[in-house]
Amino acid sequence: TEIYTLSLHDALPIWVSGVGNRIVANKLSFYEEGISGDGQGNLYLGNECSGGIVAIVISGQGDLIEGNTCGGSRTWGFDITGTAETIVGNQADGNGKVGISVAGTHNQIRNNEATNNTMFDLEDGNGVCGENSWKLNAFTTANLPCIN
C-alpha cells in the first residue's frame, strides 16, 4: 500500500492505478483533472479540490470515496464511472456542470452534500438509477426521481 499526502497549488494531477492505495488529505487547485483513478479497493479520503476542469474522476472498482470536498470546478466535482464504489460524506458545491455524477453500477451514494451546481447537484447516468443506491444525500436538483 502506498500513501500519498501532498499539498499543491497549480498542481499536476494525481493519477492512481493499482490496488489498495490510500490518497489522503491532498489539496489541489487549478488542474485539468485533480485526482484520477482506475484501480481497485483504493481509498480517497479527505482530499480538497478547487478550480480546474474536473475535480475527482474515478473509474475503478470497490473504492471508498469519503470526506472529499470539490468546489468551483468548470465541469464535474465528482465523476464516478466505476462499479461497486462507496461514495459517502463528500461535498460538491458550485461546480460548472454537476456536483456528483455516477454512471457505473452497484454503487452506494449516501450522506453527501451537493449544492449550487449549474446543471444538477446529483446525477445518475443510468437512466433509472440502475443498481445504484442513493440515500440520505442533501441536494436541491437531480436528474432522476430515484435519487434521494
Side-chain angles (χ1 to χ4, degrees):
T1 299
E2 298 177 43
I3 299 174
Y4 299 97
T5 302
L6 305 171
S7 180
L8 302 171
H9 182 74
D10 296 329
L12 295 173
I14 295 173
W15 172 254
V16 179
S17 187
V19 178
N21 295 296
R22 294 174 46 91
I23 302 80
V24 179
N26 297 289
K27 294 183 181 184
L28 296 108
S29 60
F30 306 107
Y31 43 78
E32 186 168 328
E33 289 181 359
I35 298 173
S36 298
D38 71 351
Q40 294 182 343
N42 294 310
L43 305 176
Y44 301 87
L45 306 171
N47 298 289
E48 296 179 23
C49 300
S50 62
I53 297 174
V54 183
I56 294 181
V57 180
I58 307 296
S59 60
Q61 182 176 0
D63 300 308
L64 173 62
I65 303 140
E66 182 175 4
N68 301 286
T69 302
C70 297
S73 76
R74 291 192 300 255
T75 59
W76 292 269
F78 295 82
D79 185 15
I80 311 298
T81 59
T83 58
E85 309 285 26
T86 300
I87 303 121
V88 61
N90 298 288
Q91 193 169 28
D93 299 317
N95 294 289
K97 289 190 177 180
V98 178
I100 300 173
S101 178
V102 178
T105 59
H106 298 91
N107 298 299
Q108 301 291 315
I109 309 100
R110 64 181 187 273
N111 298 101
N112 298 288
E113 180 182 320
T115 57
N116 301 314
N117 298 286
T118 305
M119 290 176 57
F120 297 109
D121 293 325
L122 302 177
E123 174 185 55
D124 192 302
N126 293 302
V128 291
C129 290
E131 308 250 341
N132 292 325
S133 174
W134 295 83
K135 295 184 179 179
L136 304 172
N137 296 290
F139 64 98
T140 303
T141 60
N143 73 321
L144 297 172
C146 51
I147 295 173
N148 59 48

